[in-house]
Amino acid sequence: MVLRMKRRVTVENGELMLGGVPASRLAAEYGTPLYVMDEALIRKNMQAFRDSMKEFYGDGLVCYASKAFCCKEIYRIAEQEGLGVDVVSLGELYTAKSVDFPMEKVCFHGNNKSEEELRAALEYGVGRIVADNLPELVQLDWMAAEMGKKAPVLLRIKPGIDAHTHSFIMTGQIDSKFGFALETGEAMEAAKQAISSPNLQLLGIHCHIGSQIFQIQPFVEAAKVMVGFIGDVKEETGFEMTDLNLGGGFGIRYTDEDEPVPFGDYMGPVSEAVRKTADKRGIRMPFVLIEPGRSIVGEAGTTLYTVGSIKEIPNVRTYLAVDGGMGDNPRYILYQAKYDMLPACRANAPADHFYTVAGKCCESGDLLGENVPLPEMQPGELLAVLSTGAYNYSMASRYNRRPILPVVMVKDGKSRLIVRGETLDDLIRNDL
Ligand SMILES: *Cc1c(COP(=O)(O)O)cnc(C)c1O
């Protein structure tokens, strides 16, 4: 076994191994392009979050943010590992329901939930509905009344922390489509309304300050602001909320340049901030929830492509085209996301060439990476793109009428299909 990069990539006889299965065997069995997910790593990540909650809070709930990678099997695994899940649409909720995911462990998000979605959430008995705005609270109240239910509610709060500016600032996030602002009094008004609505049960508050965050301090600041708000509401109304959902956004390694913070490093300072602020404000220690998405599935995913045409433009660049692209990984065209890549069957070959890796869609922007270091590549070779487990399959499109790829789960030297790839007939199924 050889470790090629800083990250742990398993290579045997020069070949990339995924969950103990040689990449070439997966390509031969399922074809390319192909999404491959490492089950052991997904479970390990889930367990690490769960154990860490226990260690630092004694209790709490890890809700896997299923928008990162959503299919039946991931909900089954989350349930087996004792996690809850976040859903943001009827489609995600329906998928969770289809495998009997325990609904009391579901958090339902969304800045513009439809009546149909709210009705399903109430009917299914979702454990927490994260309300985003005042009209939604009003709607939930009458819908719950009509259905003879009490709607369990969290309020989505903008804590005023923008984790993406270099030194995060305290007012930066007022301009967000998500949630209630604190500064304007909107959040307090929402809390009062929820408390006084007979058909709503106000459980607590939620925030999510961004994604792919490598710093600890923004999470600490957000925790202080959030617990402070629980204190404010208690002071003003006498009502003490119990739930504190601190969201997700923990950074992962996409390339060797990324240095993710071990999860335990966040939990110590954040739990301390929660505890201290709660003490100071005279409130009980809240029940804490977190919502990791990419940090559970991101590094567990690898996409296998076959190299096709290679086009050298002298003194400009060399295009290396693969048999997939923006349809299966839109993150480059969306935000120039970077990925590490390697030739799956010569994983230790020195990367002494630079390629612009292109897809096969009819867009010049259909790239998977630029200046990607690789050995000199040959048509027909297998190319592995690493850390594609999050926001790839879940963001896939059928642009250029390319079918959605299959997803294979690997573990202990075995592979199994967890999502069938679409066929040509699937592509025309709904056409009239
Ligand atoms: C996207 C999202 C998450 C997960 O974010 P990651 O960066 O994948 O961890 C968690 N909570 C909410 C509300 C989100 O919108």
Side-chain angles (χ1 to χ4, degrees):
M1 184 201 286
V2 181
L3 303 181
R4 181 180 180 271
M5 306 185 184
K6 265 196 275 177
R7 72 162 79 228
R8 299 187 74 78
V9 174
T10 308
V11 176
E12 274 176 25
N13 304 319
E15 178 163 3
L16 177 66
M17 303 291 288
L18 298 168
V21 188
S24 63
R25 196 197 299 165
L26 294 167
E29 187 170 350
Y30 302 99
T32 65
L34 178 68
Y35 295 118
V36 184
M37 299 292 284
D38 180 337
E39 182 172 349
L41 183 54
I42 292 171
R43 289 183 185 271
K44 188 176 141 223
N45 291 338
M46 288 181 172
Q47 288 155 13
F49 278 107
R50 199 192 57 205
D51 294 348
S52 182
M53 289 295 273
K54 192 161 249 147
E55 181 186 344
F56 288 99
Y57 295 104
D59 201 359
L61 184 64
V62 180
C63 289
Y64 163 62
S66 62
K67 70 177 198 251
F69 175 75
C70 171
C71 65
K72 285 182 177 181
E73 187 63 8
I74 199 75
Y75 290 112
R76 293 189 192 105
I77 292 175
E79 183 188 359
Q80 288 159 13
E81 297 300 340
L83 267 64
V85 294
D86 269 16
V87 299
V88 294
S89 69
L90 189 52
E92 289 178 357
L93 180 61
Y94 186 78
T95 309
K97 174 85 175 157
S98 75
V99 293
D100 292 325
F101 193 89
M103 285 293 139
E104 70 280 3
K105 285 184 166 180
V106 174
C107 244
F108 195 166
H109 290 279
N111 68 308
N112 185 26
K113 301 178 198 75
S114 67
E115 187 174 326
E116 191 188 14
E117 287 174 323
L118 291 174
R119 193 173 302 283
L122 289 169
E123 204 176 283
Y124 292 177
V126 159
R128 293 170 178 88
I129 300 172
V130 184
D132 178 88
N133 52 68
L134 287 171
E136 184 183 343
L137 279 180
V138 173
Q139 187 176 19
L140 254 183
D141 188 40
W142 69 252
M143 285 179 70
E146 214 178 73
M147 295 170 73
K149 310 238 181 197
K150 199 151 173 120
V153 169
L154 302 188
L155 302 175
R156 174 143 188 176
I157 305 292
K158 301 184 215 188
I161 286 158
D162 183 350
H164 292 290
T165 56
H166 213 60
S167 67
F168 55 91
I169 45 175
M170 295 297 290
T171 52
Q173 274 298 81
I174 205 168
D175 179 16
S176 163
K177 74 170 179 177
F178 297 105
F180 298 100
L182 286 176
E183 301 90 325
T184 58
E186 189 185 28
M188 183 60 75
E189 194 187 330
K192 285 180 180 165
Q193 187 162 319
I195 292 164
S196 65
S197 299
N199 309 298
L200 302 184
Q201 181 192 5
L202 180 62
L203 295 174
I205 51 177
H206 165 272
C207 70
H208 173 68
I209 58 171
S211 272
Q212 189 63 0
I213 303 169
F214 288 108
Q215 302 155 287
I216 297 173
Q217 206 54 24
F219 288 107
V220 170
E221 296 304 324
K224 285 184 195 162
V225 170
M226 295 292 281
V227 178
F229 181 65
I230 296 179
D232 291 347
V233 171
K234 186 179 180 190
E235 242 168 62
E236 205 155 320
T237 68
F239 182 86
E240 188 170 327
M241 297 182 280
T242 53
D243 283 7
L244 173 64
N245 185 332
L246 294 171
F250 315 106
I252 67 163
R253 173 164 288 155
Y254 281 105
T255 73
D256 259 4
E257 288 158 31
D258 296 327
E259 283 297 343
V261 178
F263 183 62
D265 291 7
Y266 291 106
M267 293 293 269
V270 172
S271 62
E272 196 180 301
V274 170
R275 196 162 284 119
K276 276 193 176 152
T277 314
D279 276 355
K280 202 162 81 192
R281 299 302 303 263
I283 56 174
R284 271 166 289 145
M285 186 66 186
F287 181 82
V288 174
L289 301 98
I290 56 166
E291 306 175 320
R294 85 183 65 222
S295 48
I296 284 179
V297 291
E299 293 186 38
T302 304
T303 309
L304 297 177
Y305 298 99
T306 301
V307 173
S309 72
I310 299 173
K311 193 172 288 178
E312 186 181 344
I313 305 176
N315 304 318
V316 182
R317 60 168 90 215
T318 303
Y319 283 101
L320 176 83
V322 296
D323 53 353
M326 60 184 279
D328 53 79
N329 185 353
R331 292 189 70 253
Y332 191 86
I333 202 166
L334 276 176
Y335 25 71
Q336 284 75 54
K338 286 189 178 160
Y339 289 93
D340 276 342
M341 305 186 193
L342 46 85
C345 298
R346 306 187 280 141
N348 293 319
D352 50 7
H353 284 62
F354 287 94
Y355 289 98
T356 294
V357 178
K360 57 181 288 162
C361 288
C362 295
E363 297 284 332
S364 297
D366 172 25
L367 304 177
L368 295 175
E370 289 176 274
N371 297 312
V372 180
L374 289 166
E376 185 163 12
M377 299 291 287
Q378 303 298 328
E381 263 196 280
L382 267 188
L383 180 74
V385 180
L386 309 181
S387 294
T388 58
Y391 307 107
N392 272 234
Y393 169 72
S394 65
M395 282 188 165
S397 78
R398 294 177 188 79
Y399 181 50
N400 287 167
R401 280 251 149 156
R402 303 220 358 111
I404 303 289
L405 312 187
V407 186
V408 165
M409 192 72 93
V410 287
K411 187 176 181 240
D412 299 332
K414 295 198 186 79
S415 67
R416 64 197 168 97
L417 200 58
I418 60 164
V419 180
R420 262 196 296 271
E422 287 184 346
T423 62
L424 291 173
D425 282 327
D426 288 332
L427 289 176
I428 58 170
R429 184 174 313 277
N430 296 319
D431 290 5
L432 303 173

